[in-house]
Amino acid sequence: MSLDLEKQIASLSGDIAALHLTLDNIGAYVYIKDLQGCYTYVNKMVRDLFACPLEEIIGQNDSKFFSIAHSDELMVNDRLVMEHCQTVEAEEKNIIHSTGEIRYYWTVKKPLFDEQGQVSGMYGISTDITERKLLDIKLKENEKLLDTVLNNVDAYIYMKDRECRFRYINASTAKLFGVQPEDIIGKKGEDFLPPETAADFAILDNKLLATGEKVSGEESFSDGKGNTQYYWSTKVPIKDEQDEISSFIGFSNDITELIALKKNLEVKANTDELTQLANRRNFIDQAEKEFIRAKRYHLSLSLLAIDIDCFKEINDTYGHHVGDQVLREVARICAANLRGADCIGRMGGEEFSVLLPETSGEAAKIMAERLCQRIRDHQLAGPWKDKIKSTVSIGISEMQAEDDDIDDLLIRADKALYKAKQTGRDRVCS
């Protein structure tokens, strides 16, 4: 053998050794298979994975090392390469026979060709992504769990960025808005909500962005059909490493029934149950405010004290249930003949009061005379012998410069009412 040939062989042997060393330390699983799927080469990482020396691996197929029944994509991908001459880049899942360990890889497989250009086998390079894959699986499990909780909790939950664009909404919020969640991600409220609703939601959003603190308050949503829902919302900022708000999460609970109950209780607290007029407390509250306004702006103000004449006789003759009907009818007639700004209330028993803003004593007298006439002309029919006719006596007082509060008008109106009673009833006195 010539010296040059020996040098070439030595050089080639060195190159092969260097190649083996490189492949053994490349940080990936490198292997070659023949057309029967048997290994003809594996690097050190494959040998370590199978926990076998090279001679026990060469000539064996994957069924010796993997649970093929649970890793069928191995065989599928190999056939695509060797039978269809395709390059495959895909994720593969392996279950190691010797340990039962599940491993995940990102694999690239390509065909090998002989001198005639025919596929003679394949080579593959697989990178272990097990740790990343398990984290991804765990993350997806947690996301599924979180989605299950958020989509079934009895609350509207959503996330917005610092520009108030939606980043997330749960199923309840999507149903409320009448959209699919993916349809509004990246959008602001004004992009798909009625202007007044978007403006209402923006109040708490802007307060949170301005203060950087958690905020809570009442919000409302109208469906455009005249139906309004009310919510108690809490919004919590999420801050970045620079302590700047990057986004915020909102939690809203439907309080529509509570609001309706509250309003109903307020109405009951301020309304006379029998006549549906303002009760005494409510009337006095409104009268005090109107008195202050009239004083401040030097406006006229008058008050009527109304009492049903001979009401005890009606109760004694027909019974209290008929007396209640008379009270309701008198209240209805009075209310129907007042202006929108006027206020009427039942003060107790058969007595009513009417507050007449921006009304002089003379104008109040005309109003009082009209009420007397309307009630005098009305007859209450029912399952009794004769129709019931009622009359009222009315006392008038007009605000004076020296008056200190609404009580001064009430006292003078009561005195005028007493005068009307004493001088024959069914009349107006001041």
Side-chain angles (χ1 to χ4, degrees), residues 62-147:
D62 285 322
S63 63
K64 180 176 177 62
F65 308 105
F66 298 118
S67 177
I68 298 300
H70 298 94
S71 307
D72 59 345
E73 65 262 30
L74 283 174
M75 308 301 294
V76 171
N77 291 338
D78 287 1
R79 285 197 297 271
L80 287 173
V81 174
M82 292 190 284
E83 295 179 10
H84 300 281
C85 198
Q86 293 184 14
T87 294
V88 172
E89 295 184 30
E91 181 184 297
E92 290 183 341
K93 173 185 173 183
N94 301 159
I95 299 179
I96 311 300
H97 263 323
S98 59
T99 63
E101 183 182 9
I102 299 175
R103 309 295 296 181
Y104 295 89
Y105 308 90
W106 181 254
T107 297
V108 178
K109 295 180 177 179
K110 293 187 175 183
L112 284 172
F113 300 96
D114 58 20
E115 294 178 354
Q116 288 73 42
Q118 300 296 315
V119 176
S120 60
M122 56 153 284
Y123 68 92
I125 301 175
S126 298
T127 304
D128 194 320
I129 59 169
T130 302
E131 184 176 354
R132 187 181 73 190
K133 182 65 177 179
L134 293 177
L135 286 174
D136 187 52
I137 291 172
K138 186 66 175 177
L139 179 61
K140 288 181 178 178
E141 288 177 351
N142 289 339
E143 286 178 347
K144 185 177 180 180
L145 175 62
L146 183 61
D147 278 343

Coordinates of all heavy atoms in Angstrom, one line a residue, residues 62-147:
D62 N -38.5 -0.4 15.6 CA -39.0 0.4 16.7 C -39.8 -0.5 17.7 O -40.0 -0.1 18.8 CB -39.8 1.6 16.2 CG -38.9 2.7 15.7 OD1 -37.8 2.9 16.3 OD2 -39.3 3.3 14.7
S63 N -40.4 -1.6 17.2 CA -41.2 -2.4 18.1 C -40.5 -2.9 19.3 O -41.1 -3.3 20.3 CB -41.9 -3.5 17.3 OG -40.9 -4.4 16.8
K64 N -39.1 -3.0 19.1 CA -38.3 -3.6 20.2 C -38.1 -2.5 21.3 O -38.0 -2.9 22.5 CB -36.9 -4.0 19.7 CG -36.0 -4.6 20.8 CD -34.7 -5.1 20.2 CE -33.8 -5.6 21.3 NZ -34.3 -6.7 22.1
F65 N -38.2 -1.2 21.0 CA -37.9 -0.2 21.9 C -39.1 0.7 22.3 O -39.0 1.3 23.4 CB -36.8 0.7 21.3 CG -35.6 -0.1 20.8 CD1 -35.4 -0.3 19.4 CD2 -34.7 -0.6 21.7 CE1 -34.3 -1.0 19.0 CE2 -33.6 -1.4 21.2 CZ -33.4 -1.5 19.9
F66 N -40.1 0.8 21.5 CA -41.2 1.6 21.7 C -42.5 0.8 21.8 O -42.6 -0.3 21.2 CB -41.4 2.7 20.7 CG -40.2 3.7 20.6 CD1 -39.5 3.7 19.4 CD2 -39.9 4.5 21.6 CE1 -38.4 4.6 19.3 CE2 -38.8 5.4 21.5 CZ -38.1 5.4 20.4
S67 N -43.5 1.3 22.5 CA -44.8 0.8 22.5 C -45.5 1.3 21.3 O -46.1 2.4 21.3 CB -45.6 1.2 23.8 OG -46.9 0.7 23.7
I68 N -45.4 0.6 20.2 CA -45.9 1.0 18.9 C -47.4 1.3 18.9 O -48.0 2.2 18.2 CB -45.6 0.0 17.8 CG1 -44.1 -0.1 17.7 CG2 -46.2 0.4 16.4 CD1 -43.3 1.2 17.3
A69 N -48.2 0.5 19.7 CA -49.6 0.6 19.8 C -50.0 2.0 20.3 O -51.1 2.6 19.9 CB -50.2 -0.4 20.7
H70 N -49.1 2.7 21.1 CA -49.4 4.0 21.6 C -48.5 5.1 20.9 O -48.6 6.2 21.3 CB -49.2 4.0 23.1 CG -50.0 3.1 23.8 ND1 -49.7 1.9 24.2 CD2 -51.3 3.3 24.3 CE1 -50.6 1.3 24.9 NE2 -51.7 2.1 24.9
S71 N -47.7 4.6 19.9 CA -46.9 5.6 19.2 C -47.0 5.3 17.7 O -46.0 5.2 17.0 CB -45.4 5.4 19.6 OG -45.3 5.5 21.0
D72 N -48.2 5.1 17.2 CA -48.4 4.7 15.8 C -47.9 5.8 14.8 O -47.7 5.5 13.6 CB -49.8 4.3 15.5 CG -50.8 5.5 15.8 OD1 -50.4 6.4 16.5 OD2 -52.0 5.4 15.4
E73 N -47.8 7.1 15.3 CA -47.3 8.1 14.3 C -45.9 7.8 13.9 O -45.5 8.3 12.8 CB -47.4 9.5 15.0 CG -46.5 9.8 16.2 CD -47.3 9.6 17.5 OE1 -48.2 8.8 17.5 OE2 -46.9 10.3 18.4
L74 N -45.1 7.0 14.7 CA -43.8 6.7 14.2 C -43.8 5.9 12.9 O -43.1 6.2 12.0 CB -43.1 5.8 15.3 CG -42.5 6.4 16.6 CD1 -42.1 5.3 17.5 CD2 -41.4 7.3 16.2
M75 N -44.7 4.9 12.9 CA -44.8 4.1 11.7 C -45.4 4.8 10.5 O -45.0 4.7 9.4 CB -45.6 2.8 12.0 CG -45.2 2.0 13.2 SD -43.5 1.4 13.1 CE -43.7 0.3 11.7
V76 N -46.4 5.7 10.8 CA -47.0 6.5 9.8 C -46.0 7.4 9.2 O -45.9 7.5 7.9 CB -48.2 7.3 10.4 CG1 -48.8 8.3 9.4 CG2 -49.3 6.3 10.9
N77 N -45.3 8.1 10.0 CA -44.3 9.0 9.4 C -43.2 8.3 8.6 O -42.7 8.8 7.6 CB -43.7 9.9 10.6 CG -44.6 10.8 11.2 OD1 -45.6 11.2 10.6 ND2 -44.4 11.3 12.4
D78 N -42.7 7.2 9.1 CA -41.7 6.4 8.4 C -42.2 6.0 7.0 O -41.5 6.1 6.0 CB -41.3 5.2 9.2 CG -40.4 5.5 10.4 OD1 -40.2 6.7 10.6 OD2 -40.0 4.6 11.1
R79 N -43.5 5.6 6.9 CA -44.0 5.1 5.6 C -44.1 6.3 4.7 O -43.9 6.2 3.5 CB -45.4 4.5 5.8 CG -45.3 3.1 6.4 CD -46.7 2.4 6.2 NE -47.8 3.0 6.9 CZ -48.1 2.7 8.2 NH1 -47.4 1.8 8.8 NH2 -49.1 3.3 8.7
L80 N -44.5 7.5 5.2 CA -44.6 8.7 4.4 C -43.2 9.0 3.7 O -43.1 9.4 2.6 CB -45.1 9.9 5.2 CG -46.6 9.9 5.6 CD1 -46.8 11.1 6.5 CD2 -47.4 10.0 4.3
V81 N -42.2 8.8 4.5 CA -40.8 9.1 4.0 C -40.4 8.0 3.0 O -39.9 8.4 1.9 CB -39.8 9.2 5.2 CG1 -38.4 9.3 4.7 CG2 -40.2 10.3 6.1
M82 N -40.5 6.8 3.4 CA -39.9 5.7 2.5 C -40.8 5.2 1.4 O -40.3 4.8 0.4 CB -39.4 4.5 3.4 CG -38.3 4.9 4.3 SD -37.5 3.6 5.2 CE -38.8 3.3 6.5
E83 N -42.1 5.3 1.6 CA -43.0 4.8 0.6 C -43.5 6.0 -0.3 O -43.8 5.7 -1.5 CB -44.2 4.2 1.2 CG -43.9 2.9 2.0 CD -45.1 2.2 2.6 OE1 -46.2 2.7 2.3 OE2 -44.9 1.3 3.4
H84 N -43.5 7.2 0.2 CA -44.0 8.3 -0.6 C -43.0 9.4 -0.9 O -43.3 10.4 -1.4 CB -45.2 8.9 0.1 CG -46.4 7.9 0.2 ND1 -47.2 7.6 -0.8 CD2 -46.8 7.2 1.3 CE1 -48.1 6.7 -0.3 NE2 -47.9 6.5 1.0
C85 N -41.7 9.1 -0.4 CA -40.6 10.0 -0.7 C -40.9 11.4 -0.2 O -40.5 12.4 -0.8 CB -40.3 10.0 -2.2 SG -38.6 10.6 -2.5
Q86 N -41.5 11.5 1.0 CA -41.8 12.8 1.6 C -40.9 13.1 2.7 O -40.4 12.2 3.4 CB -43.3 12.8 2.1 CG -44.3 12.7 1.0 CD -45.7 12.8 1.6 OE1 -45.9 13.3 2.8 NE2 -46.7 12.5 0.8
T87 N -40.7 14.4 2.9 CA -40.0 14.9 4.1 C -41.0 15.2 5.2 O -42.0 15.9 4.9 CB -39.2 16.2 3.8 OG1 -38.1 15.8 2.9 CG2 -38.5 16.7 5.1
V88 N -40.8 14.7 6.4 CA -41.8 14.9 7.4 C -41.1 15.7 8.5 O -40.0 15.4 9.0 CB -42.2 13.5 8.0 CG1 -43.1 13.7 9.3 CG2 -43.0 12.7 7.0
E89 N -41.8 16.7 8.9 CA -41.5 17.5 10.1 C -42.7 17.5 11.0 O -43.7 18.1 10.7 CB -41.1 18.9 9.7 CG -39.9 19.0 8.9 CD -39.4 20.5 8.6 OE1 -39.7 21.3 9.4 OE2 -38.9 20.7 7.5
A90 N -42.6 16.8 12.2 CA -43.8 16.7 13.0 C -43.4 16.3 14.4 O -42.3 16.0 14.7 CB -44.7 15.5 12.4
E91 N -44.4 16.5 15.3 CA -44.2 16.1 16.7 C -44.5 14.6 16.8 O -45.5 14.1 16.2 CB -45.2 16.9 17.6 CG -45.1 16.6 19.1 CD -46.1 17.4 19.9 OE1 -46.0 18.6 19.9 OE2 -47.0 16.7 20.5
E92 N -43.7 13.9 17.5 CA -44.0 12.5 17.8 C -44.0 12.2 19.3 O -43.2 12.8 20.0 CB -42.9 11.6 17.1 CG -43.0 11.6 15.6 CD -42.0 10.7 14.9 OE1 -41.0 10.3 15.6 OE2 -42.2 10.4 13.7
K93 N -44.8 11.2 19.6 CA -44.9 10.8 21.0 C -44.4 9.3 21.1 O -44.8 8.5 20.3 CB -46.3 10.8 21.5 CG -46.6 10.2 22.9 CD -48.1 10.3 23.2 CE -48.4 9.6 24.5 NZ -49.9 9.5 24.7
N94 N -43.4 9.1 22.0 CA -42.8 7.7 22.2 C -43.1 7.2 23.6 O -42.9 8.0 24.5 CB -41.3 7.7 21.9 CG -41.0 8.2 20.5 OD1 -39.9 8.6 20.2 ND2 -41.9 8.1 19.6
I95 N -43.3 6.0 23.7 CA -43.4 5.3 25.1 C -42.3 4.3 25.1 O -42.3 3.3 24.3 CB -44.7 4.7 25.3 CG1 -45.8 5.8 25.3 CG2 -44.7 4.0 26.7 CD1 -47.2 5.2 25.5
I96 N -41.3 4.5 25.9 CA -40.1 3.6 26.0 C -40.5 2.3 26.7 O -41.0 2.3 27.8 CB -38.9 4.3 26.8 CG1 -38.7 5.7 26.3 CG2 -37.7 3.4 26.7 CD1 -38.3 5.8 24.8
H97 N -40.2 1.2 26.0 CA -40.6 -0.1 26.5 C -39.9 -0.4 27.9 O -40.6 -0.8 28.9 CB -40.1 -1.2 25.6 CG -41.2 -1.7 24.7 ND1 -42.5 -1.8 25.1 CD2 -41.2 -2.1 23.4 CE1 -43.2 -2.3 24.1 NE2 -42.4 -2.5 23.0
S98 N -38.6 -0.1 28.0 CA -37.9 -0.5 29.2 C -38.3 0.3 30.4 O -38.2 -0.3 31.5 CB -36.4 -0.3 28.9 OG -36.1 1.1 28.7
T99 N -38.8 1.5 30.3 CA -39.1 2.3 31.5 C -40.6 2.7 31.5 O -41.1 3.1 32.6 CB -38.3 3.6 31.5 OG1 -38.6 4.3 30.3 CG2 -36.8 3.2 31.5
G100 N -41.3 2.6 30.4 CA -42.7 3.1 30.3 C -42.8 4.6 30.3 O -43.9 5.2 30.3
E101 N -41.7 5.2 30.2 CA -41.6 6.7 30.1 C -42.2 7.2 28.8 O -41.9 6.7 27.8 CB -40.2 7.2 30.3 CG -40.0 8.7 30.4 CD -38.6 9.1 30.5 OE1 -37.7 8.2 30.4 OE2 -38.3 10.3 30.8
I102 N -42.9 8.3 28.9 CA -43.5 9.0 27.7 C -42.6 10.1 27.4 O -42.2 11.0 28.2 CB -44.9 9.5 28.0 CG1 -45.9 8.3 28.3 CG2 -45.4 10.3 26.8 CD1 -47.3 8.8 28.7
R103 N -42.1 10.1 26.1 CA -41.3 11.2 25.6 C -41.9 11.9 24.4 O -42.6 11.2 23.6 CB -39.9 10.7 25.2 CG -39.2 9.9 26.3 CD -38.9 10.6 27.5 NE -37.9 11.7 27.3 CZ -37.5 12.5 28.3 NH1 -37.9 12.4 29.5 NH2 -36.6 13.5 28.0
Y104 N -41.6 13.1 24.2 CA -42.1 13.9 23.1 C -40.9 14.5 22.3 O -40.0 14.9 22.9 CB -43.1 15.0 23.5 CG -44.4 14.5 24.1 CD1 -44.4 14.3 25.5 CD2 -45.5 14.3 23.4 CE1 -45.6 13.9 26.1 CE2 -46.7 13.8 24.0 CZ -46.7 13.6 25.3 OH -47.9 13.2 25.9
Y105 N -41.0 14.4 21.0 CA -39.9 14.9 20.1 C -40.4 15.8 19.0 O -41.6 15.5 18.5 CB -39.1 13.7 19.5 CG -38.7 12.7 20.5 CD1 -39.5 11.6 20.9 CD2 -37.5 12.8 21.2 CE1 -39.1 10.7 21.8 CE2 -37.1 11.9 22.1 CZ -37.9 10.8 22.4 OH -37.5 9.9 23.4
W106 N -39.6 16.7 18.6 CA -39.8 17.4 17.3 C -38.9 16.7 16.3 O -37.7 16.7 16.4 CB -39.6 18.9 17.4 CG -39.9 19.5 16.0 CD1 -39.0 20.0 15.1 CD2 -41.2 19.7 15.5 NE1 -39.6 20.5 14.0 CE2 -41.0 20.3 14.2 CE3 -42.5 19.4 15.9 CZ2 -42.0 20.7 13.4 CZ3 -43.5 19.8 15.1 CH2 -43.3 20.4 13.8
T107 N -39.5 16.0 15.3 CA -38.7 15.1 14.4 C -38.7 15.6 13.0 O -39.8 16.0 12.5 CB -39.3 13.7 14.5 OG1 -39.2 13.2 15.8 CG2 -38.6 12.8 13.5
V108 N -37.5 15.5 12.4 CA -37.4 15.7 10.9 C -36.9 14.4 10.3 O -35.9 13.9 10.7 CB -36.4 16.9 10.6 CG1 -36.3 17.0 9.1 CG2 -36.9 18.2 11.3
K109 N -37.7 13.9 9.4 CA -37.3 12.6 8.7 C -37.2 12.8 7.2 O -38.2 13.4 6.6 CB -38.3 11.5 9.0 CG -38.3 11.1 10.5 CD -39.3 10.0 10.8 CE -39.2 9.6 12.3 NZ -40.2 8.5 12.6
K110 N -36.2 12.3 6.6 CA -36.0 12.5 5.1 C -35.6 11.2 4.5 O -34.9 10.4 5.2 CB -34.9 13.6 4.8 CG -35.4 15.0 5.3 CD -34.4 16.0 4.8 CE -34.9 17.4 5.1 NZ -34.0 18.5 4.6
P111 N -35.9 11.0 3.2 CA -35.5 9.7 2.6 C -34.0 9.7 2.2 O -33.4 10.7 1.9 CB -36.4 9.7 1.3 CG -36.7 11.1 1.0 CD -36.7 11.8 2.4
L112 N -33.4 8.5 2.2 CA -32.1 8.2 1.7 C -32.2 7.6 0.3 O -33.1 6.7 0.1 CB -31.3 7.3 2.6 CG -30.8 8.0 3.9 CD1 -30.2 6.9 4.8 CD2 -29.7 9.0 3.6
F113 N -31.3 7.9 -0.6 CA -31.4 7.3 -2.0 C -30.1 6.5 -2.3 O -29.0 6.9 -1.9 CB -31.5 8.5 -3.0 CG -32.8 9.3 -2.8 CD1 -32.7 10.5 -2.0 CD2 -34.0 8.9 -3.3 CE1 -33.8 11.2 -1.8 CE2 -35.1 9.7 -3.1 CZ -35.0 10.8 -2.4
D114 N -30.2 5.5 -3.1 CA -29.1 4.7 -3.6 C -28.5 5.3 -4.9 O -29.0 6.4 -5.3 CB -29.4 3.2 -3.8 CG -30.6 3.0 -4.8 OD1 -30.8 4.0 -5.6 OD2 -31.2 2.0 -4.8
E115 N -27.5 4.7 -5.5 CA -26.9 5.2 -6.7 C -27.8 5.3 -7.8 O -27.6 6.1 -8.8 CB -25.7 4.3 -7.0 CG -24.6 4.4 -6.0 CD -23.4 3.5 -6.4 OE1 -23.5 2.7 -7.4 OE2 -22.4 3.5 -5.7
Q116 N -28.9 4.5 -7.8 CA -29.9 4.6 -8.9 C -31.0 5.6 -8.6 O -32.0 5.7 -9.4 CB -30.5 3.2 -9.2 CG -29.6 2.2 -9.8 CD -28.5 1.7 -8.9 OE1 -28.8 1.4 -7.7 NE2 -27.3 1.6 -9.4
G117 N -30.9 6.3 -7.5 CA -31.9 7.3 -7.2 C -33.1 6.8 -6.5 O -34.1 7.4 -6.4
Q118 N -33.1 5.5 -6.1 CA -34.2 4.8 -5.5 C -34.1 5.0 -4.0 O -33.0 5.0 -3.4 CB -34.2 3.3 -5.8 CG -34.4 3.0 -7.3 CD -35.7 3.6 -7.9 OE1 -36.7 3.4 -7.3 NE2 -35.6 4.2 -9.0
V119 N -35.2 5.1 -3.3 CA -35.2 5.2 -1.8 C -34.7 4.0 -1.2 O -35.2 2.9 -1.5 CB -36.6 5.5 -1.3 CG1 -36.6 5.6 0.2 CG2 -37.1 6.9 -1.8
S120 N -33.6 4.1 -0.4 CA -33.0 3.0 0.2 C -33.2 2.9 1.7 O -32.8 2.0 2.4 CB -31.5 2.9 -0.1 OG -30.9 4.1 0.4
G121 N -33.8 4.0 2.2 CA -34.0 4.1 3.7 C -34.3 5.5 4.0 O -34.8 6.3 3.2
M122 N -34.0 5.8 5.3 CA -34.4 7.2 5.8 C -33.4 7.5 6.9 O -32.8 6.7 7.5 CB -35.8 7.3 6.2 CG -36.2 6.3 7.3 SD -37.5 6.9 8.4 CE -36.6 8.0 9.4
Y123 N -33.3 8.8 7.1 CA -32.5 9.3 8.3 C -33.4 10.3 9.0 O -34.3 10.9 8.5 CB -31.2 9.9 7.9 CG -31.3 11.2 7.2 CD1 -31.2 12.4 7.8 CD2 -31.3 11.2 5.8 CE1 -31.3 13.6 7.1 CE2 -31.4 12.4 5.1 CZ -31.3 13.6 5.7 OH -31.4 14.8 5.1
G124 N -33.2 10.4 10.3 CA -34.0 11.2 11.1 C -33.2 11.9 12.2 O -32.2 11.4 12.7
I125 N -33.7 13.1 12.6 CA -33.1 13.9 13.7 C -34.3 14.3 14.6 O -35.2 14.9 14.1 CB -32.4 15.1 13.2 CG1 -31.2 14.7 12.2 CG2 -31.8 15.9 14.4 CD1 -30.5 15.9 11.6
S126 N -34.2 13.9 15.8 CA -35.3 14.2 16.8 C -34.8 14.9 18.0 O -33.8 14.6 18.6 CB -36.0 12.9 17.3 OG -36.5 12.1 16.2
T127 N -35.5 16.0 18.3 CA -35.1 16.9 19.4 C -36.1 16.6 20.5 O -37.3 16.7 20.3 CB -35.1 18.3 19.0 OG1 -34.2 18.5 17.9 CG2 -34.6 19.2 20.2
D128 N -35.6 16.4 21.7 CA -36.5 16.1 22.8 C -37.2 17.4 23.3 O -36.6 18.4 23.6 CB -35.7 15.5 24.0 CG -36.6 14.9 25.1 OD1 -37.7 15.5 25.4 OD2 -36.2 13.8 25.6
I129 N -38.5 17.4 23.2 CA -39.3 18.5 23.7 C -40.3 18.1 24.8 O -41.3 18.7 25.0 CB -40.1 19.1 22.5 CG1 -41.1 18.1 21.9 CG2 -39.2 19.7 21.4 CD1 -42.1 18.6 20.9
T130 N -39.9 17.0 25.5 CA -40.8 16.5 26.5 C -41.1 17.5 27.6 O -42.3 17.7 28.0 CB -40.1 15.2 27.2 OG1 -39.8 14.3 26.2 CG2 -41.1 14.6 28.2
E131 N -40.1 18.2 28.1 CA -40.3 19.1 29.2 C -41.3 20.2 28.8 O -42.2 20.6 29.4 CB -39.0 19.7 29.7 CG -39.2 20.7 30.9 CD -37.8 21.1 31.4 OE1 -36.8 20.7 30.9 OE2 -37.8 22.0 32.3
R132 N -41.0 20.8 27.6 CA -41.9 21.8 27.0 C -43.3 21.3 26.8 O -44.2 22.0 27.0 CB -41.2 22.4 25.7 CG -41.9 23.6 25.2 CD -41.3 24.1 23.9 NE -41.6 23.2 22.8 CZ -41.0 23.2 21.6 NH1 -40.0 24.1 21.4 NH2 -41.3 22.4 20.7
K133 N -43.3 20.1 26.2 CA -44.6 19.5 25.9 C -45.5 19.3 27.2 O -46.7 19.6 27.2 CB -44.5 18.2 25.1 CG -45.8 17.5 24.7 CD -46.5 18.3 23.7 CE -47.8 17.6 23.3 NZ -48.6 18.4 22.3
L134 N -44.8 18.8 28.2 CA -45.6 18.5 29.5 C -46.0 19.8 30.1 O -47.1 19.9 30.6 CB -44.7 17.8 30.4 CG -44.3 16.3 30.0 CD1 -43.4 15.7 31.1 CD2 -45.6 15.5 29.9
L135 N -45.2 20.9 30.0 CA -45.6 22.2 30.4 C -46.8 22.7 29.6 O -47.8 23.3 30.2 CB -44.5 23.2 30.4 CG -43.4 23.0 31.4 CD1 -42.2 24.0 31.1 CD2 -43.9 23.3 32.8
D136 N -46.8 22.4 28.3 CA -47.9 22.9 27.4 C -49.1 22.1 27.8 O -50.2 22.7 27.8 CB -47.5 22.6 26.0 CG -48.5 23.2 25.0 OD1 -48.8 24.4 25.2 OD2 -49.0 22.4 24.1
I137 N -49.0 20.8 28.0 CA -50.2 20.0 28.4 C -50.8 20.5 29.7 O -52.0 20.6 29.9 CB -49.8 18.5 28.5 CG1 -49.5 17.9 27.1 CG2 -50.9 17.7 29.1 CD1 -48.9 16.5 27.1
K138 N -49.9 20.7 30.7 CA -50.3 21.2 32.0 C -51.0 22.6 31.8 O -52.1 22.8 32.4 CB -49.1 21.3 32.9 CG -49.5 21.7 34.4 CD -50.3 20.6 35.0 CE -50.6 20.9 36.5 NZ -51.5 19.8 37.1
L139 N -50.4 23.4 31.0 CA -51.0 24.8 30.8 C -52.4 24.6 30.1 O -53.3 25.3 30.5 CB -50.1 25.6 29.8 CG -50.6 27.0 29.5 CD1 -50.7 27.8 30.7 CD2 -49.6 27.6 28.5
K140 N -52.5 23.7 29.2 CA -53.8 23.5 28.5 C -54.8 23.0 29.5 O -56.0 23.3 29.5 CB -53.7 22.6 27.3 CG -53.0 23.3 26.1 CD -52.9 22.4 24.9 CE -52.2 23.2 23.8 NZ -52.1 22.3 22.6
E141 N -54.4 22.1 30.4 CA -55.3 21.5 31.4 C -55.8 22.6 32.3 O -56.9 22.7 32.7 CB -54.6 20.4 32.2 CG -54.3 19.1 31.4 CD -53.6 18.1 32.2 OE1 -53.0 18.5 33.3 OE2 -53.5 17.0 31.7
N142 N -54.8 23.5 32.7 CA -55.2 24.6 33.6 C -56.1 25.6 32.9 O -57.0 26.1 33.5 CB -53.9 25.3 34.1 CG -53.1 24.5 35.1 OD1 -53.6 23.6 35.7 ND2 -51.8 24.8 35.2
E143 N -55.8 25.8 31.6 CA -56.7 26.7 30.8 C -58.1 26.1 30.7 O -59.1 26.9 30.9 CB -56.1 27.0 29.5 CG -54.9 27.9 29.4 CD -54.3 28.0 28.1 OE1 -54.7 27.3 27.1 OE2 -53.5 28.9 27.9
K144 N -58.2 24.8 30.5 CA -59.5 24.2 30.4 C -60.2 24.3 31.7 O -61.4 24.5 31.8 CB -59.3 22.7 30.0 CG -60.6 22.0 29.7 CD -60.4 20.6 29.2 CE -61.7 19.9 29.0 NZ -61.5 18.5 28.5
L145 N -59.5 24.0 32.8 CA -60.1 24.1 34.2 C -60.5 25.5 34.4 O -61.7 25.7 34.9 CB -59.1 23.7 35.2 CG -59.5 23.8 36.7 CD1 -60.7 23.0 37.0 CD2 -58.3 23.5 37.6
L146 N -59.7 26.5 34.1 CA -60.0 27.9 34.3 C -61.3 28.3 33.5 O -62.2 29.0 34.0 CB -58.9 28.8 34.0 CG -59.0 30.3 34.3 CD1 -59.4 30.6 35.7 CD2 -57.8 31.1 33.8
D147 N -61.3 27.9 32.2 CA -62.4 28.2 31.3 C -63.7 27.6 31.9 O -64.7 28.2 31.8 CB -62.1 27.6 29.9 CG -61.3 28.6 29.1 OD1 -61.2 29.8 29.5 OD2 -60.7 28.2 28.1

